[in-house]
Amino acid sequence: MKTICLIEGDGIGHEVIPAAAAVLAALQPSWKLISAEAGYDCFRRSGESLPARTLELARGADAVLFGAATSPSVPVAGFRSAIRTLRRELDLFANLRPALSLPLEGHRPGTDLLLVRENSEGAYVAQERRYGDLAIADVVITRAASLRIGEVAAREALRRRGRLTVVHKANVLPVSQGLFRQSVLEAAAGFAGLEIEERIVDAAAMELVMHPERFDVLVMTNLLGDVLSDLCAGLVGGLGLAPSANLGTVHALFEPVHGSAPDIAGRGVANPSAALLSLALLLEHLGQATAAQRLRRALLASLQAGVRTPDLGGQATTDQLTGAVLERLGT
Ligand code: NAI
Ligand code: MG
């Protein structure tokens, strides 16, 4: 028996997490599912985007399934991003974002890569200062965090096709990006049988669009990984299909790459696939590879049968796609 903490968050988090919860309840009827609140609406209601109770439930669970949380693009006094706080509090230093082409008509084949994003520092320390018309943001890179993300990426590459690409901008920032590059290369050198290469981030962006099939595992700092992982989602059908895992040495949190999608929230048309594929990663992480496989097969069969949400060119609602997956779980 496992305990899973479900955090819907904001916007379409309220639509895709209940969908994933229904599928999880069908796959693992004995597991305990507990819901906890977090996000911008929670902040506006209670003054806290991540209440202490939520953090406690997340810490006590075997894994967390998180939807999405809104972050305002202007400074709001007292506000801290719930997901970034969770990543820090649970020491979830590795963000794994797989991008896999699905065999669906109209989809481009050939992408099967894993983007590994350093999750604990870089520009996401969010230390910003404003002096009149001048603004300064810190970017923090440490050897320790770069070594540990390098090890995670190397281990993942060995489990896959054995190819690791270090993505950086050390040509312009040789001190900070240079320390990241050097530390990751050093960590990777400890793993025999890896093919290690590097790319400057802008060239990597172009190559990802033109020849995504050349890549296996890519590793990079926080902000670069945030940007390029959405690009990778675009290669394989969009944010509606992109899952992620946030891993530390103790805790694990799984979430779709997408945000709260205020443009479609509340209409019941959000694609639950990214949340379901994140659930598949969660199941694998907790030793349930067979259940994860059943889920992926049921989802693919549903999409192939034409049960698709509007982002994939269809007319299905969140509930209809979820229902189609539930029906096919047994097959
Ligand atoms: P977004 O990912 O929410 O949406 C981008 C576009 O993709 C929108 O047109 C949206 O409708 C579409 N989309 C995303 N997920 C979809 C799904 N499951 N089904 C169908 N269409 C989908 O990114 P955006 O608009 O830049 O950010 C909205 C809010 O979400 C912001 O407040 C942002 O800070 C937050 N955000 C939160 C994240 C998290 O909680 N981890 C990650 C990214 C953004
Ligand atoms: Mg992002």
Side-chain angles (χ1 to χ4, degrees):
M1 212 271 285
K2 303 281 185 197
T3 301
I4 308 301
C5 177
L6 304 171
I7 303 177
E8 296 180 5
D10 297 306
I12 62 169
H14 297 301
E15 299 162 46
V16 300
I17 293 301
V23 172
L24 176 54
L27 285 167
Q28 306 287 357
S30 68
W31 287 14
K32 189 170 161 201
L33 312 184
I34 37 175
S35 294
E37 53 170 14
Y40 194 53
D41 288 343
C42 178
F43 169 77
R44 282 195 296 207
R45 250 189 342 264
S46 70
E48 285 178 306
S49 62
L50 186 72
R53 176 78 186 136
T54 298
L55 187 53
E56 188 188 325
L57 291 171
R59 267 193 219 287
D62 292 289
V64 179
L65 188 62
F66 184 89
T70 299
S71 283
S73 291
V74 293
V76 172
F79 174 77
R80 292 193 311 170
S81 150
I83 184 63
R84 276 186 278 124
T85 308
L86 270 169
R87 287 172 183 159
R88 194 182 58 242
E89 290 291 332
L90 301 181
D91 195 24
L92 304 169
F93 61 87
N95 194 327
L96 273 52
R97 301 187 154 190
L100 175 68
S101 307
L102 294 179
L104 293 174
E105 123 262 335
H107 282 226
R108 172 181 169 170
T111 301
D112 180 5
L113 59 83
L114 175 68
L115 190 148
V116 177
R117 164 184 174 193
E118 203 292 321
N119 222 14
S120 70
E121 53 181 33
Y124 283 60
V125 294
Q127 295 167 9
E128 297 185 295
R129 297 169 295 289
R130 175 128 180 217
Y131 308 99
D133 285 345
L134 167 70
I136 297 178
D138 296 326
V139 176
V140 175
I141 304 290
T142 64
R143 183 173 135 79
S146 307
L147 281 173
R148 69 180 179 174
I149 198 69
E151 281 168 21
V152 168
R155 223 175 291 125
E156 292 295 329
L158 276 185
R159 265 210 284 264
R160 293 170 48 99
R161 301 192 301 279
R163 184 153 201 218
L164 179 64
T165 308
V166 187
V167 178
H168 59 77
K169 192 73 188 177
N171 54 331
V172 173
L173 300 168
V175 175
S176 53
Q177 285 283 316
L179 176 59
F180 179 81
R181 168 186 174 274
Q182 192 187 11
S183 308
V184 168
L185 288 173
E186 182 184 329
F191 292 76
L194 271 187
E195 186 190 336
I196 302 164
E197 53 172 31
E198 53 183 295
R199 293 283 191 283
I200 310 264
V201 62
D202 34 356
M206 183 202 69
E207 199 174 344
L208 275 167
V209 171
M210 297 188 72
H211 299 290
E213 70 285 351
R214 288 187 187 158
F215 294 98
D216 182 11
V217 175
L218 303 98
V219 59
M220 64 204 74
T221 52
N222 215 332
L223 178 59
L224 303 188
D226 190 3
V227 176
L228 285 193
S229 56
D230 275 31
L231 184 153
C232 292
L235 290 172
V236 298
L239 284 167
L241 293 174
S244 79
N246 293 262
L247 305 178
T249 42
V250 180
H251 299 287
L253 178 152
F254 301 81
E255 52 161 343
V257 170
H258 65 70
S260 56
D263 54 338
I264 59 164
R267 299 196 351 232
V269 295
N271 188 345
S273 304
L276 293 175
L277 292 168
S278 301
L279 173 60
L281 294 174
L282 179 155
L283 289 164
E284 261 166 6
H285 182 78
L286 295 178
Q288 304 296 320
T290 311
Q293 223 21 58
R294 275 173 70 198
L295 168 48
R296 288 200 183 96
R297 258 204 299 271
L299 175 62
L300 182 59
S302 304
L303 296 172
Q304 282 173 333
V307 190
R308 298 186 194 181
T309 43
D311 58 307
L312 299 176
Q315 282 167 1
T317 63
T318 311
D319 285 349
Q320 284 167 340
L321 179 49
T322 308
V325 172
L326 284 167
E327 263 170 44
R328 289 172 173 82
L329 278 181
T331 61

